[in-house]
Amino acid sequence: MKYLRLLGLGLLVVLLILIRMFEKDLFYDPLIEFYQRDYLHHEVPEYNFWPLLFNLLLRFLLNTAISLAILYLAYRDKNIVKFASLLYGILLLIGGSAFVFLLLNIEYEHYLALFYVRRFLIHPVFILILLPAFYYYRLRNASGRTQ
């Protein structure tokens, strides 16, 4: 059973990697190439707002679903998944609002802020924070019960 969980975790991580590898083919995002170049010396490329927003949301939701599945396989605790879902929802609300604001009011001095907000939304960075945080939480609860 332990090996099946590890295999499942491995497959989910591979899915996250595949999303990243094929991001240019799967999602509409003209900002990918913009930030790969010397973006500080160029203007933001023309983009279609709604398709860009939809694709950002789609990518966020795919990464979130896979990340929640990783959390479930790692800890087998529905309460952790529910709490993580709430945190992802808050991240989407705050990060999505910031992304839309920065995109609609883009100026040279906001390029880096837009880059980091976008990166936090489209890459599964949050799972790197949540996995050790829940591990530490469970470790503290387990040690608290034995004392």
Side-chain angles (χ1 to χ4, degrees):
M1 191 58 136
K2 182 179 180 180
Y3 295 112
L4 285 176
R5 279 182 49 215
L6 289 175
L7 179 65
L9 286 168
L11 288 173
L12 291 168
V13 169
V14 167
L15 279 176
L16 290 174
I17 292 168
L18 288 173
I19 289 172
R20 174 83 164 112
M21 282 178 57
F22 295 106
E23 66 187 353
K24 289 181 183 176
D25 299 326
L26 296 172
F27 307 103
Y28 168 74
D29 190 352
L31 298 175
I32 291 173
E33 289 186 27
F34 173 69
Y35 282 114
Q36 286 176 344
R37 296 189 184 138
D38 189 17
Y39 64 89
L40 291 176
H41 299 345
H42 294 89
E43 300 245 342
V44 174
E46 296 224 4
Y47 59 87
N48 292 322
F49 178 78
W50 292 111
L52 178 58
L53 199 58
F54 173 77
N55 280 272
L56 179 109
L57 178 64
L58 178 63
R59 189 165 175 186
F60 177 83
L61 293 174
L62 282 172
N63 285 331
T64 297
I66 295 167
S67 297
L68 291 174
I70 288 171
L71 286 171
Y72 182 75
L73 279 180
Y75 298 111
R76 289 181 287 170
D77 186 342
K78 289 181 183 177
N79 289 326
I80 284 178
V81 175
K82 286 178 188 176
F83 184 66
S85 298
L86 176 68
L87 293 176
Y88 273 103
I90 292 168
L91 171 65
L92 179 60
L93 185 67
I94 294 170
S97 299
F99 178 78
V100 168
F101 174 80
L102 290 169
L103 195 60
L104 293 177
N105 299 297
I106 193 66
E107 293 181 20
Y108 174 76
E109 56 270 2
H110 297 144
Y111 283 5
L112 207 52
L114 179 65
F115 172 78
Y116 284 115
V117 169
R118 181 183 149 277
R119 171 167 265 178
F120 209 76
L121 289 171
I122 67 170
H123 297 304
V125 177
F126 210 38
I127 190 70
L128 298 175
I129 297 166
L130 292 179
L131 271 173
F134 286 128
Y135 178 76
Y136 180 72
Y137 169 77
R138 289 184 68 160
L139 206 60
R140 287 208 27 123
N141 273 1
S143 69
R145 286 188 207 135
T146 59
Q147 292 178 355

